[in-house]
């Protein structure tokens, strides 16, 4: 799951004008992966390349009890929601930020082989759709397509910025699916992943500066609020 993780961010912004900016929601969508990649860089959590471990992904996420346990993800969700509340004083925004963070573990549960935990214990969970690309690929594209369509229906503004965001999402997903497999889960690989997250987040913030929720300003307003 890659671009599918961003579907809840788009959906949250479509649902309510009180949701945080789209860029903030993009951070929420991949917050635990931001943390995982950073922790993997210093050896606290671990991954390795094992060719053929799944049909779609050669990565063995064999030690990630902090970021990819349900309890750990819940902790990240609560912490990020608290930060959003402190910055915005908007409880609805905070709740939606937390929901988007928590959605990451639930979506990973669909695609990962059994490598997720409830609280970092020995029992591993995962429905393994990475071994069923004929299901996983349409599912991921469908989630993104539906969420993007809903976001566009519920917001107003120039069409070019969100199309640039969508094109970039699809391009990165195509590289993920059809590009050469990584040879090692080394610093360069992890830094590349963080760069991709940062690029998408920056584009999402750009989009949020050009579009606004219809419920916030009404259908007749020609320019977004300051």
């Amino acid at each position: 799951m890659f671009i599918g993780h961003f579907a809840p961010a788009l959906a949250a912004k479509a649902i309510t004008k009180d949701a945080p900016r789209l860029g903030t929601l993009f951070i929420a969508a991949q917050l635990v992966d931001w943390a995982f990649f950073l922790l993997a860089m210093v050896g606290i959590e671990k991954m390795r390349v094992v060719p053929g471990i799944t049909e779609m992904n050669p990565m063995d996420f064999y030690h990630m009890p902090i970021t990819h346990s349900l309890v750990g993800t819940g902790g990240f969700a609560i912490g990020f929601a608290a930060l959003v509340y402190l910055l915005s004083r908007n409880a609805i925004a905070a709740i939606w930020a937390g929901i988007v963070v928590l959605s990451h573990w639930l979506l990973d549960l669909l695609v990962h082989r059994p490598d997720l935990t409830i609280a970092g214990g020995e029992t591993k969970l995962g429905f393994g759709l990475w071994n069923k690309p004929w299901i996983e690929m349409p599912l991921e594209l469908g989630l993104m397509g539906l969420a993007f369509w809903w976001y566009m229906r519920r917001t107003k503004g120039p069409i070019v910025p969100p199309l640039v965001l969508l094109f970039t999402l699809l391009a990165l997903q195509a590289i993920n699916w059809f590009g050469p497999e990584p040879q090692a889960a080394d610093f360069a690989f992890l830094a590349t992943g963080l760069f991709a997250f940062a690029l998408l987040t920056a584009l999402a913030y750009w989009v949020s500066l050009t579009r606004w929720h219809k419920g916030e300003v009404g259908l007749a307003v020609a320019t977004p609020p300051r």
Side-chain angles (χ1 to χ4, degrees):
M1 187 68 65
F2 177 56
I3 63 171
H5 280 306
F6 297 106
L10 290 162
K13 195 60 187 177
I15 289 170
T16 173
K17 63 182 177 60
D18 289 314
R21 284 182 179 270
L22 189 62
T24 303
L25 291 168
F26 265 49
I27 293 173
Q30 287 284 29
L31 182 63
V32 296
D33 274 352
W34 277 97
F36 171 68
F37 276 42
L38 291 169
L39 292 176
M41 283 181 171
V42 296
I44 295 175
E45 294 197 321
K46 298 176 182 180
M47 63 190 295
R48 61 194 167 199
V49 174
V50 179
I53 194 168
T54 71
E55 288 192 33
M56 296 182 66
N57 193 318
M59 306 311 300
D60 180 12
F61 302 98
Y62 66 96
H63 184 70
M64 46 184 188
I66 300 171
T67 59
H68 283 71
S69 65
L70 180 57
V71 172
T73 302
F76 278 98
I78 293 170
F80 195 70
L83 178 61
V84 169
Y85 180 76
L86 288 173
L87 294 175
S88 68
R89 297 298 175 180
N90 186 326
I92 296 176
I95 290 169
W96 278 109
I99 289 172
V100 173
V101 173
L102 190 60
S103 73
H104 188 104
W105 192 90
L106 298 174
L107 290 172
D108 271 355
L109 182 65
L110 296 177
V111 299
H112 277 234
R113 58 186 291 272
D115 54 24
L116 305 173
T117 64
I118 297 298
E122 294 299 321
T123 301
K124 302 294 181 69
L125 305 172
F127 296 147
L129 290 185
W130 276 335
N131 281 316
K132 298 178 173 61
W134 62 92
I135 297 176
E136 199 282 338
M137 294 171 75
L139 173 64
E140 191 152 6
L141 292 174
L143 286 172
M144 173 51 61
L146 181 60
F148 184 80
W149 169 82
W150 193 13
Y151 172 77
M152 295 298 288
R153 284 288 302 269
R154 295 289 292 162
T155 61
K156 290 178 66 68
I159 195 172
V160 171
L163 288 181
V164 171
L165 174 61
L166 180 62
F167 174 82
T168 306
L169 282 162
L170 293 174
L172 291 174
Q173 184 64 80
I175 293 170
N176 178 269
W177 280 342
F178 306 115
E181 289 190 352
Q183 299 302 304
D186 54 12
F187 183 90
F189 172 82
L190 296 168
T192 301
L194 291 174
F195 173 79
F197 298 157
L199 174 62
L200 292 172
T201 299
L203 289 175
Y205 270 112
W206 175 46
V207 171
S208 71
L209 295 175
T210 67
R211 298 190 70 83
W212 62 100
H213 197 277
K214 290 178 179 178
E216 182 176 6
V217 295
L219 299 178
V221 176
T223 57
R226 297 293 181 184

